[in-house]
Amino acid sequence: MSLLLYSFFALIGLLLLLFAWSVRSPKRPARRSSSVGAVGECEHKHVTYLPQIRQTFSKADYEFLSKNAPPGVLRRVHRERRRVALAYLEALRDDFQSLLQMARVIAVLSPELEAVHEFERLRLTAKFTCQYQMIRWKLLGGAAPVPQLSGLSDFVSGLSVRMEAAMKELGERAAVAAALASSMNRRGLDAG
Amino acid sequence: MDEIVTFERALLWLTVFLNGGLLVSLLYRKNHRVVPFFFAYAFLNLLQGFVLFGSYWIWGFASPLSNRIAWATQGLVIIFRALAVAEICRRVLGKYRGIWALAWRMLVATAAVVLLYSWAVAKGSWQFAVLNSDRGLELAIASVIVIFFLFTYHYEVTMETAVRTLTIGFFLYSCFFVLNDTVLEGWSHKYSTLWNLLGALAFVASLMLWNWALWRRLPENAFEPEMLSNGIYRTLAPEINNRLKALNEQLEHFCRAQRNRS
């Protein structure tokens, strides 16, 4: 049997894997039920805690502690920072999932889709998932140090500005969101 | 007829019985109106069984004429199998106009690419031409079903249990047939008796799934969701993508911050 014929077996194996993956029940975040409104709420929650997040990653704090605190305290701080970093990652993922859910509802209820936007979203999702899992496993395994504010402060500030803008935009789109939520409910009734 | 071993003959009768039961169930539950191509496929399958039985009876199991009749009827059956799969895809995704417009193009493109691949990879001899076509079409059907399931998963489109089971039956049968055809091409005659037997077993398994799936009546009128206006997608889709991009950038920044620290 030629080598190329073996590719049929490989292809069938791949199809079976993809099939098994796609028929399983979708694992979505618990916040899913309030998906459309959740984006704004979530960002609003993050804005409230931004000063604390910023403080957690403060480089000056860490340097001060490394000079003055005993090693036990320093280790504990390091652990706590890792925990905060993981929680922050989780929050980013929740934001991403909420946006994806919103995009999904809009796509399902739209009479026309543009393949470019759909494939772009697929690419972004794949990229985000890979990066998220990589960072998460590194942090969980202790293989990667928790980032310092020098790196994070800029983007946390940037995020704050973007979130304010997003909140404003979402306020303007409240009517659209309400219409979407209502359509989603109708869809849910159908699914039941 | 002597060449057909007892077990194979028993399987043949079992497929006839299950196929007949499926047709009766389709008619009794009036599901033939809901899935007409599937009904046509099931009917042709049964008819093929009788035609084959008749041809083997008259001309013998190994006669070239019986062989030609077997492959010709198989071609017709497989075309209707493809139509039945298309019908299921349309039933599930068709009510979402935007997704369906994207999905059917993707499904047709997938089928075309897989068919081309099958022909490119297959042996060039005429001896295997029919076998290659059969395998190519089965592989295309299996790939289309996977893409269809990926679509429903990605967009969280709900699927009736019966329709899902029908599709699973098609998928498993097509996958098995591709493997079976490939082994037959590789080992040729040494495998032919077993090839018939395994093919019949796979078909019996699919028939059982379909009988179970269509035991109840399928709702005739698919629900039509209320669509949004065109402008909403055009405005919001790029905006959401930009925000997803921004979140990706934040993760990248997180990565960079980690690298800088280490």
Side-chain angles (χ1 to χ4, degrees):
Chain A
M1 206 159 32
S2 74
L3 191 67
L4 280 171
L5 275 181
Y6 282 110
S7 67
F8 275 107
F9 292 109
L11 198 61
I12 286 294
L14 180 72
L15 287 176
L16 283 168
L17 273 177
L18 283 171
F19 181 76
W21 185 78
S22 60
V23 290
R24 77 203 159 101
S25 303
K27 191 181 153 193
R28 306 287 184 208
R31 196 144 40 83
R32 191 183 156 194
S33 55
S34 57
S35 57
V36 176
V39 183
E41 286 165 26
C42 172
E43 287 178 350
H44 184 70
K45 203 166 76 182
H46 292 165
V47 171
T48 316
Y49 293 108
L50 264 180
Q52 285 88 338
I53 295 171
R54 189 178 286 128
Q55 184 65 39
T56 310
F57 292 116
S58 159
K59 190 178 184 180
D61 275 16
Y62 192 79
E63 278 172 358
F64 177 81
L65 280 173
S66 25
K67 279 175 196 161
N68 300 298
V73 174
L74 199 63
R75 269 199 301 276
R76 194 177 149 196
V77 169
H78 198 71
R79 254 199 326 271
E80 289 297 310
R81 278 175 170 236
R82 177 165 290 126
R83 203 173 56 80
V84 171
L86 281 167
Y88 179 76
L89 265 184
E90 190 78 10
L92 278 187
R93 195 195 62 160
D94 283 353
D95 282 359
F96 199 89
Q97 291 291 350
S98 300
L99 280 168
L100 271 187
Q101 182 65 17
M102 190 177 180
R104 201 173 279 135
V105 173
I106 294 168
V108 164
L109 297 173
S110 294
E112 275 175 41
L113 298 187
E114 282 177 37
V116 182
H117 295 320
E118 297 307 303
F119 285 116
E120 171 71 357
R121 195 159 64 248
L122 203 62
R123 188 186 68 82
L124 289 170
T125 308
K127 192 178 168 188
F128 186 91
T129 309
C130 286
Q131 283 197 121
Y132 169 80
Q133 291 299 345
M134 201 176 68
I135 298 171
R136 189 167 168 270
W137 284 112
K138 271 182 170 179
L139 280 169
L140 283 173
V146 178
Q148 296 285 358
L149 188 67
S150 57
L152 284 174
S153 61
D154 297 341
F155 93 82
V156 170
S157 313
L159 176 65
S160 167
V161 172
R162 270 204 295 271
M163 276 194 283
E164 270 178 44
M167 295 290 286
K168 198 173 162 226
E169 270 175 35
L170 277 172
E172 286 165 5
R173 296 192 188 284
V176 176
L180 283 175
S182 139
S183 300
M184 248 183 82
N185 287 340
R186 279 199 294 276
R187 199 178 143 233
L189 282 173
D190 167 64
Chain B
M1 287 301 286
D2 297 339
E3 292 93 317
I4 306 176
V5 289
T6 317
F7 183 62
E8 213 175 321
R9 197 180 293 172
L11 267 181
L12 190 72
W13 282 113
L14 183 62
T15 54
V16 170
F17 172 73
L18 286 171
N19 212 337
L22 181 66
L23 283 170
V24 170
S25 163
L26 277 162
L27 287 166
Y28 181 71
R29 310 271 175 206
K30 294 187 172 54
N31 280 333
H32 64 287
R33 291 183 197 155
V34 187
V35 278
F37 282 112
F38 181 80
F39 177 75
Y41 163 65
F43 177 73
L44 280 173
N45 247 325
L46 189 68
L47 199 66
Q48 186 195 26
F50 284 114
V51 168
L52 286 182
F53 194 81
S55 70
Y56 293 155
W57 186 268
I58 298 165
W59 295 290
F61 188 64
S63 107
L65 187 61
S66 293
N67 212 17
R68 275 200 289 274
I69 289 172
W71 283 115
T73 51
Q74 178 66 11
L76 195 65
V77 166
I78 204 170
I79 286 168
F80 271 85
R81 182 155 52 240
L83 288 171
V85 170
E87 179 179 62
I88 290 172
C89 294
R90 196 181 190 286
R91 180 177 169 85
V92 175
L93 296 176
K95 52 198 167 192
Y96 306 107
R97 267 186 285 153
I99 292 180
W100 177 238
L102 185 67
W104 78 258
R105 286 175 177 88
M106 282 272 301
L107 296 176
V108 168
T110 304
V113 168
V114 171
L115 276 173
L116 278 175
Y117 162 79
S118 304
W119 272 100
V121 166
K123 279 184 182 177
S125 68
W126 283 105
Q127 186 195 353
F128 291 105
V130 186
L131 189 73
N132 290 336
S133 316
D134 188 32
R135 180 177 52 194
L137 280 164
E138 293 289 3
L139 191 61
I141 289 173
S143 310
V144 160
I145 290 173
V146 167
I147 299 288
F148 163 67
F149 268 96
L150 287 174
F151 254 91
T152 58
Y153 179 82
H154 182 67
Y155 289 107
E156 291 185 14
V157 172
T158 48
M159 210 191 300
E160 298 142 287
T161 315
V163 173
R164 176 181 283 250
T165 312
L166 279 185
T167 322
I168 290 173
F170 276 119
F171 176 73
L172 294 178
Y173 182 71
S174 292
C175 279
F176 181 84
F177 234 88
V178 173
L179 292 178
N180 215 14
D181 280 0
T182 307
V183 174
L184 180 71
E185 188 178 345
W187 281 282
S188 197
H189 294 295
K190 275 180 272 172
Y191 184 73
S192 58
T193 314
L194 191 63
W195 182 80
N196 278 322
L197 190 70
L198 292 177
L201 274 174
F203 188 54
V204 164
S206 293
L207 277 172
M208 282 175 160
L209 271 177
W210 293 332
N211 269 293
W212 180 76
L214 294 167
W215 191 247
R216 287 182 189 161
R217 195 177 172 188
L218 291 171
E220 205 159 333
N221 295 322
F223 146 86
E224 288 283 339
E226 201 179 314
M227 290 283 140
L228 297 170
S229 69
N230 277 339
I232 292 176
Y233 177 81
R234 279 195 214 120
T235 319
L236 287 180
E239 198 176 293
I240 290 173
N241 280 1
N242 282 337
R243 290 175 69 183
L244 292 176
K245 213 174 193 171
L247 283 168
N248 257 308
E249 279 165 16
Q250 283 170 36
L251 261 194
E252 273 168 25
H253 213 116
F254 202 101
C255 276
R256 271 203 296 277
Q258 280 188 328
R259 274 199 294 271
N260 291 344
R261 172 106 204 284
S262 55

